[in-house]
Amino acid sequence: MRAFDLVTARDSRHAVALLAEHGASARILAGGTDLLVELKSASHTPQVIVDISRAEDMKSIAITDEGLSIGALVTHTEIMRSPLICGMFPALADAAHTIGAVQTRNLGTLGGNLVTGVPSMDSGPTLIALEALVTVAATTGRRQIPLVEFFVGPRKTILKPDELLVEIVIPKRNLGKPAHFLKSGLRKGQALALVNAAASLWVDWDKHVFVAPRIALGAVAPTVIRILQAEAYLEGRSITPAAMTEAGRIAVSEAKPISDFRASAGYRRDLIAVLTRRALENAYAQAQAKRNQET
């Protein structure tokens, strides 16, 4: 590992100023679970590392006028332990629980997991199924985009060298929306996903049909993707086991899994169909349980 300068940001505004000053020669350090491994093996070492781990304005979990706001520096362990998240979106806590080991979850941050842009990330599918937005800061101000548009390729995002991911927001219209996350790996813990899937939905109980179904998959394309054709098929359709199975079949046709040393494309296609169906079934079961509690 070559020498580099380390500067500590006081808050997100200071971090953005430092990024603007140093440009492409700088890298961000949050939890460090990905960056430190990268620094040990990479042929190119950044000249400056901007440590944002002390930026308290990016560490909150709160309900705002926009919805549920999760700071980019919130750790996976904090997500798992948050009464707000566990009560409103247990799928987010389930996804956080599958990320690495205890040490990784204690240090690793939600923002860091997203910025790495790995297609098999565990945090992405549930957030995308809940139509999450990300807030990106620069010296010129802040902008907000759908998380699904944040990723542009394997380990590539829309972030420019002088921009910083500061917040993830689940829109107010989706607060409490039933959702479920599933992951298939080669072992129970500390495994990269062969396929991961998330689904969210509302139910029109008078007609017993799907309302705003959303499905997202990871590890089946260059980025985490939304399964738009399956969503369109389910919208307004009667909730039946056959409909959920068909959505799984449609999801297979929308994904582009590859064969690698961990699994074949054919096996991944089978997983896509099964996990999509099960994620929908479990999200619906959660909706039923919630309705029973309220009546």
Side-chain angles (χ1 to χ4, degrees), residues 226-281:
R226 255 184 73 181
I227 308 301
L228 299 175
Q229 292 177 30
E231 293 175 2
Y233 167 79
L234 292 173
E235 182 67 48
R237 188 174 294 272
S238 295
I239 300 175
T240 64
M244 298 184 203
T245 299
E246 180 61 21
R249 293 195 191 101
I250 296 171
V252 172
S253 68
E254 291 191 69
K256 298 177 180 178
I258 62 170
S259 295
D260 59 19
F261 68 94
R262 292 185 294 124
S264 67
Y267 183 60
R268 284 190 166 98
R269 283 191 285 270
D270 288 342
L271 285 174
I272 291 167
V274 172
L275 294 185
T276 299
R277 172 177 57 80
R278 289 180 180 173
L280 287 165
E281 289 172 344

Side-chain angles (χ1 to χ4, degrees), residues 178-211:
H180 194 78
F181 170 81
L182 290 168
K183 172 180 177 177
S184 178
L186 293 178
R187 55 182 185 268
K188 289 186 177 180
Q190 301 185 50
L192 291 175
L194 300 179
V195 174
N196 52 28
S200 72
L201 53 86
W202 296 112
V203 177
D204 181 332
W205 293 108
D206 292 331
K207 299 178 181 179
H208 201 251
V209 298
F210 291 98
V211 176

Side-chain angles (χ1 to χ4, degrees), residues 23 45 79 101 111 167 203 207 225 231-232 259 263 288:
T45 301
I79 288 173
E167 177 193 34
V203 177
K207 299 178 181 179
I225 58 173
E231 293 175 2
S259 295
Q288 287 180 307

Side-chain angles (χ1 to χ4, degrees), residues 6-70:
L6 177 68
V7 290
T8 301
R10 296 184 298 272
D11 53 29
S12 60
R13 181 175 294 183
H14 185 210
V16 166
L18 291 169
L19 290 175
E21 177 184 349
H22 297 288
S25 64
R27 291 290 303 277
I28 289 290
L29 172 66
T33 56
D34 289 308
L35 180 62
L36 293 181
V37 174
E38 204 176 301
L39 290 177
K40 292 177 181 178
S41 57
S43 57
H44 174 71
T45 301
Q47 296 177 15
V48 178
I49 289 183
V50 179
D51 180 2
I52 62 170
S53 63
R54 300 180 187 179
E56 294 296 327
D57 62 331
M58 291 192 285
K59 294 184 177 183
S60 65
I61 300 172
I63 299 294
T64 69
D65 291 340
E66 292 184 316
L68 176 64
S69 169
I70 306 174

Side-chain angles (χ1 to χ4, degrees), residues 119-131:
S120 60
M121 70 175 67
D122 295 321
S123 60
T126 306
L127 288 168
I128 287 176
L130 290 167
E131 299 174 283

